[in-house]
Amino acid sequence: MTDPWLMDAADVVRMLGGDAGSGLTSAEAAERLARVGPNRLHAAPEVPAWRKLLLQFADPLVYLLIAATVVSLVAWALEGADGTPYEAIVIAVIVVANAVLGFVQERKAERAVAALQRMAATTVGLLRDGRQLRLPTDEVVPGDILVLREGDAVGADGRLLETASLQVAEAPLTGESEPVVKDAATLSGSVELGDRTNMVFSGTAVTRGGGRAVVTATGMDAEMGRIASMLERTKEERTPLQREIDRLGRILGIAVIAIAAVVVLAIALTSDLRTASDLVEVLLIGVSLAVAAVPESLSAVLTVVLALGVRRMAQQHAIVTKLSSVETLGSASVICTDKTGTLTRNEMTIQRIVTRSGAVTATGVGYDPTGRILADGEPLGDGRLLEEVRVVVGGGSLANEAILHRTDGAWTIQGDPTDAAFLVAERKLGITDERTERFTRAGLVPFTSERGLMSSVVSDGRRAGRWLVITKGAPDILLTRCTRERVGTEDLELTQERRAQILKVVDHLGDEALRTLGVALRVQEGDPPRSDESAERDLVFAGVVGMIDPPRPEAVASIAEAQRAGIRVVMITGDHPRTAARIASDLGIEPDPARRAVVSGRELDDMDDEAFARTVRSVSAFARVAPEHKLRIVDALQADGNIVAMTGDGVNDAPALKAADIGIAMGITGTEVAKEAAKMILADDNFATIVAAVREGRAIFANIRKFLRYLLSSNIGEVLTMLLGVVGASVIGLRVGAGAVAAPLLATQILWINLVTDSGPALAMGVDPPPRDVMERAPRRTTDRMVDRGLQLEVLFVGLIMALVTLLTIDMKLPGGLIPGSGDLTGARTAGFTVLVLAQLFNCFNARSGRDSAFRNLFTNPLLWAAIGLSLVAQVAVVHVSILNEAFDTAPLSAGDWALCMAMASLVLWVEELRKLIVRIRARRPAGPRRATGPADPDPASPARRAGT
């Protein structure tokens, strides 16, 4: 195919078998999609399931267990291969079971994340079957007709067919910093990529205007695909939370391997090792220590809990595109939010219309056109005022791209809410049919944030050769383009005095929290006006409308909740400062009347860096801001140490969204560029959803702390049981034969404990209801350690209690020791083994809070009870099923033994309850002045929380 930029646009469409007027049919598109494949870059080859399963064994601990299995088998063979090598078999089975469990959990997490990515997939505007649709980018095929609008991401390479002030940001492809002006004219000669002005390319973004293009290449055939094919796949960065968990695992592993080596060496030096079986027994003690220390299921549990949390956020209309963002959400200290649609309903309603002859009021709210136009409380009668109001409302409806329609009894719109407000007011005035039958649009000058205006060029069906330019926009900007004013059916000169009066009206409407918009027109005979900015001159000012976007009822409550949580809410809007001040006051965004209410973008421009920083620190509402102001506000807040969430919907918001710690794009009104720059997408464009997502993020972090407290204290308990049992063997009677030391528990028993008590309860804690005061704490800093000093002391304390009750139970069952008993080693180990399992199950309730009683909200998590029940059933089986007795070297326990084990294990709960009671009593005592060291820790029992910070 000849280079499309060197061909006439019609020839390109014909060569590709397309149709510029109606696009491809669905059948043609489906056939092409099957032939050329989805429109996406080739992903790295998916790792086969069998390989992912094998990767579960790629862990130093697993290597150690495999080595222990081999040693056990060799010893069994050297002793004549007598009987079944239960120990080796059990270790191997448990290693495989742990690997399978981790594999299944990771697959579930991958599927959950993939589902979220599908929810956040980008879409493009297309012509299909003669209709304009938005379809997933993956479904674009060569020959499709792209419909490009400001804010859209370009979904494929295409030859432009028509343009309207089209500009495209091509920095991702060419490095060009400024948007490129596009034109459909055919090029000639050798043209570099950056100079192909009649082409658009996949991966770029429309920053201004619109147009249509025929798709020439998709997927890896597009320019972006060619570049991607030359790049190596970038390795995904691990999140801060994952890195901290890795760090924790390394520290635990190194420490316990060192302890295990010392213990094994001490036993070897003090015991008479005569056979290979003796050597294996000593090595297995070392293995037991290593196994006891490391929570093998931690990584898998963490991934699943994050994925489940993100899934819950999606159900609440907050689509998080990366798991790592969950960590940051819980730390947000400032939320910078748009007003329109986020804090308000985004259903603009015209309430006031002011012209030269007077003012009228429109009743009704929202898109339902039920309502009337009233003058001084009475229906509007004939006369000059009616004529002027008809021009304002009808003109605003002509300079319009929205569509108002009724679906299932409800009125909805397609397009901009401001445009829709004119359509609703027009229906209330009863002039819809007249406008649609008389006027035909011939051209459009799209709205841009730089101009603050939009215009339509229309032909008058009642008079050939008569054209109208209808312009609407910000009144102060529009007045600079006007020379006359409509009075009844006449046009009079617009004097400076009259301009000042109009601006006073605008200020008055702004004081009433109304958004103002002016409407103007120009009549031209003969040739049609050009559809560009040159048409917006010598206009006749028609009047001003005052609109309101009513606040969302839930926004007030959500802002109050955020403020109680120590999160500052900052409103950034393009509205008039007076409107912004009223809305901020109504919503409770600025509760301190001593502070400055609103600062405008123009005032920000006049500030140096120091004054700007002071202003951002003290002001919570900004009006008439430009995109660069948003970015500068984010930078200033971050420089003060804040974790900033920023909402946005337009192309111009993308830099601020990217710079913010949490960029939040609007799912309904947001452009594709904004969605791609964001880390979270609001499916309902509602501020309350942001606060709900922060609440969920904090709850997820709190639950991670819960299962870390549980896993680490349980594993520390196992380590101390093995360590203290070996070191104090003579004290509790753990010596057999010729003074040889017997391990308090076998390696297989430790493995069993980790299998039945780690994964299930830890996962259940990951979905525990959030703490009652999760939104009453100051934001967590991202530099705060997940396992801080307070948590370290807690897990060490609980682990020590576990070890002591386990060893004391073993002592009770063995002859000699502190409490002489009459049992044998197998029975004593079984009792100690059971106590340690039960103690960890009791510890499930301890770990739900570092301060609150375990009996508070005891039955709010049925999954936790189910996990505990399954673990208890498994422990009963390993004690009473004969084949498991042989495998794990256990013996059945009597009813009295079970009662003793239950009582001893419950001491973990009662001692921890006593500690928590002391913590709560100390917290209620009046505290002297303290210097706050930072935001409160997520755990109410942490040192920061106890210190009152």
Side-chain angles (χ1 to χ4, degrees):
M1 175 178 176
T2 305
D3 294 331
W5 54 91
L6 302 178
M7 299 174 60
D8 183 75
D11 293 337
V12 176
V13 174
R14 188 165 46 254
M15 183 174 293
L16 291 167
D19 187 316
S22 60
L24 298 175
T25 65
S26 296
E28 288 174 329
E31 185 275 327
R32 296 187 186 196
L33 186 63
R35 177 159 40 88
V36 303
N39 175 34
R40 55 173 175 252
L41 302 180
H42 291 169
E46 185 176 354
V47 179
W50 63 267
R51 190 172 178 185
K52 289 182 179 179
L53 180 59
L54 288 181
L55 287 173
Q56 297 294 323
F57 296 93
D59 184 276
L61 178 62
V62 175
Y63 300 153
L64 184 63
L65 295 176
I66 293 173
T69 305
V70 172
V71 170
S72 181
L73 284 173
V74 169
W76 171 74
L78 291 175
E79 292 178 350
D82 184 28
T84 304
Y86 284 114
E87 196 162 58
I89 292 173
V90 167
I91 294 175
V93 168
I94 290 178
V95 167
V96 171
N98 263 329
V100 171
L101 180 62
F103 171 75
V104 170
Q105 289 172 338
E106 287 185 7
R107 293 282 283 185
K108 285 182 179 179
E110 288 172 2
R111 283 195 286 268
V113 173
L116 293 176
Q117 289 174 337
R118 287 194 295 272
M119 291 173 67
T122 58
T123 60
V124 293
L126 292 176
L127 277 182
R128 285 275 179 89
D129 300 313
R131 295 183 300 144
Q132 187 173 315
L133 307 170
R134 289 202 74 85
L135 295 175
T137 305
D138 285 3
E139 298 180 17
V140 177
V141 295
D144 262 325
I145 304 299
L146 288 176
V147 180
L148 305 170
R149 290 182 177 174
E150 182 175 335
D152 281 353
V154 179
D157 289 5
R159 171 66 163 88
L160 286 166
L161 306 177
E162 61 183 57
T163 62
S165 305
L166 179 63
Q167 295 184 16
V168 179
E170 296 185 344
L173 189 65
T174 66
E176 177 68 37
S177 58
E178 295 294 326
V180 178
V181 177
K182 295 292 183 176
D183 190 288
T186 304
L187 302 175
S188 60
S190 177
V191 183
E192 296 295 329
L193 179 63
D195 296 324
R196 296 170 192 169
T197 53
N198 61 1
M199 297 286 295
V200 289
F201 303 102
S202 175
T204 61
V206 179
T207 61
R208 183 175 182 182
R212 294 191 180 190
V214 58
V215 174
T216 57
T218 60
M220 296 301 290
D221 293 329
E223 291 294 337
M224 192 65 77
R226 294 177 188 176
I227 295 174
S229 65
M230 297 184 292
L231 300 176
E232 293 181 358
R233 182 171 178 265
T234 303
K235 186 178 180 181
E236 185 177 357
E237 289 287 336
R238 294 181 71 76
T239 69
L241 178 59
Q242 289 172 323
R243 290 196 295 269
E244 185 168 350
I245 296 301
D246 291 343
R247 171 182 167 275
L248 179 64
R250 286 195 301 271
I251 292 174
L252 284 174
I254 292 171
V256 173
I257 288 174
I259 293 173
V262 170
V263 170
V264 168
L265 183 61
I267 295 175
L269 293 175
T270 58
S271 301
D272 185 13
L273 304 180
R274 299 183 178 182
T275 65
S277 179
D278 293 338
L279 178 61
V280 169
E281 191 68 29
V282 173
L283 290 175
L284 288 180
I285 289 176
V287 169
S288 300
L289 274 170
V291 171
V294 182
E296 301 94 330
S297 62
L298 178 57
S299 179
V301 169
L302 180 64
T303 302
V304 171
V305 167
L306 287 174
L308 289 174
V310 169
R311 192 72 179 174
R312 287 195 301 274
M313 287 184 184
Q315 292 169 354
Q316 297 180 50
H317 310 294
I319 302 170
V320 179
T321 57
K322 292 184 179 179
L323 288 180
S324 58
S325 299
V326 176
E327 305 165 33
T328 317
L329 271 171
S331 307
S333 57
V334 178
I335 300 176
C336 296
T337 175
D338 281 338
K339 176 183 71 68
T340 305
T342 311
L343 298 174
T344 58
R345 295 167 58 93
N346 199 20
E347 294 182 358
M348 293 299 298
T349 306
I350 293 177
Q351 285 195 337
R352 302 287 299 280
I353 305 169
V354 183
T355 68
R356 177 65 177 267
S357 300
V360 299
T361 301
T363 64
V365 176
Y367 298 139
D368 188 338
T370 301
R372 296 186 299 167
I373 307 296
L374 305 176
D376 296 325
E378 299 294 331
L380 182 60
D382 293 334
R384 288 198 317 180
L385 182 56
L386 175 61
E387 289 297 328
E388 293 165 7
V389 169
R390 288 167 64 91
V391 171
V392 173
V393 174
S397 297
L398 285 170
N400 201 307
E401 290 189 281
I403 299 173
L404 177 69
H405 52 84
R406 193 170 188 176
T407 305
D408 298 328
W411 289 90
T412 58
I413 69 158
Q414 291 179 353
D416 186 76
T418 301
D419 285 353
F422 280 94
L423 300 181
V424 175
E426 182 185 44
R427 286 181 176 270
K428 294 175 183 178
L429 201 57
I431 60 174
T432 309
D433 294 339
E434 178 184 341
R435 172 179 62 83
T436 55
E437 292 173 2
R438 177 178 175 181
F439 298 104
T440 303
R441 176 180 289 177
L444 174 70
V445 186
F447 173 84
T448 67
S449 56
E450 292 84 2
R451 286 167 41 248
L453 303 171
M454 78 162 293
S455 300
S456 284
V457 177
V458 299
S459 61
D460 188 344
R462 293 182 182 174
R463 185 171 172 179
R466 189 169 187 261
W467 306 87
L468 277 75
V469 176
I470 311 288
T471 302
K472 74 172 189 283
D476 51 344
I477 298 174
L478 185 61
L479 281 171
T480 64
R481 312 290 178 96
C482 297
T483 57
R484 290 164 294 162
E485 182 179 17
R486 176 58 58 93
V487 181
T489 57
E490 298 178 344
D491 298 338
L492 301 181
E493 180 185 357
L494 186 59
T495 65
Q496 290 299 324
E497 180 183 0
R498 180 58 189 150
R499 291 176 191 270
Q501 291 174 351
I502 293 171
L503 291 177
K504 283 185 179 180
V505 168
V506 171
D507 288 343
H508 178 70
L509 294 175
D511 289 340
E512 296 179 7
L514 298 176
R515 180 184 177 187
T516 55
L517 209 64
V519 177
L521 71 157
R522 178 168 64 85
V523 179
Q524 180 170 316
E525 304 287 349
D527 294 334
R530 292 181 58 182
S531 298
D532 58 27
E533 296 177 29
S534 65
E536 298 168 344
R537 59 178 176 78
D538 297 328
L539 299 174
V540 177
F541 191 79
V544 179
V545 300
M547 304 178 180
I548 189 169
D549 182 9
R552 291 180 181 269
E554 64 273 24
V556 176
S558 296
I559 288 170
E561 182 179 12
Q563 291 169 341
R564 286 195 302 271
I567 302 171
R568 181 181 166 207
V569 179
V570 177
M571 185 178 76
I572 303 176
T573 178
D575 277 345
H576 193 280
R578 289 187 175 87
T579 304
R582 174 66 181 273
I583 295 296
S585 176
D586 289 348
L587 292 172
I589 286 178
E590 186 49 85
D592 185 357
R595 288 184 172 184
R596 175 83 178 275
V598 176
V599 170
S600 69
R602 184 172 298 175
E603 291 173 299
L604 291 175
D605 287 333
D606 295 334
M607 297 178 186
D608 58 23
D609 290 342
E610 185 177 346
F612 190 97
R614 283 198 308 271
T615 300
V616 170
R617 203 174 291 130
S618 61
V619 175
S620 294
F622 297 89
R624 286 284 194 262
V625 293
E628 56 269 23
H629 294 139
K630 289 188 176 183
L631 185 58
R632 199 175 170 197
I633 289 170
V634 170
D635 290 341
L637 289 167
Q638 290 174 327
D640 267 353
N642 290 293
I643 304 301
V644 182
M646 164 68 79
T647 69
D649 55 7
V651 175
N652 292 333
D653 293 328
L657 292 177
K658 212 161 192 176
D661 298 281
I662 313 159
I664 304 172
M666 302 296 107
I668 299 174
T669 61
T671 61
E672 298 302 328
V673 175
K675 292 176 186 177
E676 289 180 4
K679 294 175 183 172
M680 190 170 86
I681 300 171
L682 297 184
D684 59 357
D685 290 10
N686 193 339
F687 180 84
T689 302
I690 303 175
V691 178
V694 172
R695 187 188 310 117
E696 185 67 42
R698 289 189 174 192
I700 290 171
F701 185 83
N703 284 347
I704 291 173
R705 292 263 301 186
K706 290 178 186 179
F707 71 68
L708 274 176
R709 181 185 290 114
Y710 169 70
L711 289 175
L712 294 179
S713 57
S714 297
N715 285 79
I716 291 294
E718 295 165 22
V719 170
L720 292 177
T721 297
M722 296 299 296
L723 180 60
L724 297 178
V726 171
V727 173
S730 58
V731 178
I732 61 176
L734 265 176
R735 287 194 176 271
V736 295
V741 173
L745 298 174
L746 301 177
T748 51
Q749 292 171 344
I750 293 292
L751 284 168
W752 173 263
I753 293 173
N754 285 354
L755 180 68
V756 300
T757 66
D758 275 12
S759 299
L763 274 175
M765 286 184 195
V767 295
D768 212 34
R772 67 187 188 282
D773 60 346
V774 71
M775 289 299 283
E776 296 175 8
R777 308 170 185 171
R780 179 183 67 88
R781 295 171 299 188
T782 53
T783 55
D784 290 345
R785 288 289 184 194
M786 180 76 70
V787 183
D788 58 16
R789 182 171 174 271
L791 189 55
Q792 292 169 10
L793 293 175
E794 285 178 39
V795 300
L796 185 61
F797 176 73
V798 174
L800 179 61
I801 300 301
M802 282 187 190
L804 292 177
V805 297
T806 300
L807 293 174
L808 190 59
T809 304
I810 292 174
D811 184 26
M812 290 178 183
K813 290 294 182 180
L814 287 175
L818 296 174
I819 307 174
S822 58
D824 59 10
L825 181 59
T826 299
R829 273 183 176 153
T830 303
F833 172 38
T834 301
V835 166
L836 190 52
V837 169
L838 295 178
Q840 294 193 11
L841 297 183
F842 276 114
N843 191 37
C844 290
F845 303 109
N846 289 335
R848 295 178 75 191
S849 174
R851 182 183 67 173
D852 291 341
S853 169
F855 297 98
R856 180 188 289 273
N857 301 320
L858 189 60
F859 300 103
T860 56
N861 189 348
L863 286 178
L864 182 60
W865 281 97
I868 291 172
L870 288 174
S871 298
L872 186 58
V873 168
Q875 183 62 21
V876 171
V878 83
V879 171
H880 290 284
V881 175
S882 58
I883 189 171
L884 295 179
N885 290 153
E886 293 185 59
F888 290 92
D889 196 19
T890 56
L893 298 175
S894 66
D897 290 334
W898 272 103
L900 173 66
C901 291
M902 190 68 72
M904 293 298 291
S906 70
L907 288 175
V908 171
L909 176 64
W910 303 122
V911 172
E912 182 66 356
E913 281 292 291
L914 179 60
R915 183 195 69 80
K916 292 179 181 179
L917 178 61
I918 294 171
V919 169
R920 293 195 297 273
I921 292 173
R922 289 178 61 190
R924 285 196 293 266
R925 289 178 182 171
R930 296 176 184 265
R931 181 184 177 187
T933 57
D937 189 273
D939 193 312
S942 69
R945 181 68 175 178
R946 290 195 298 269
T949 59

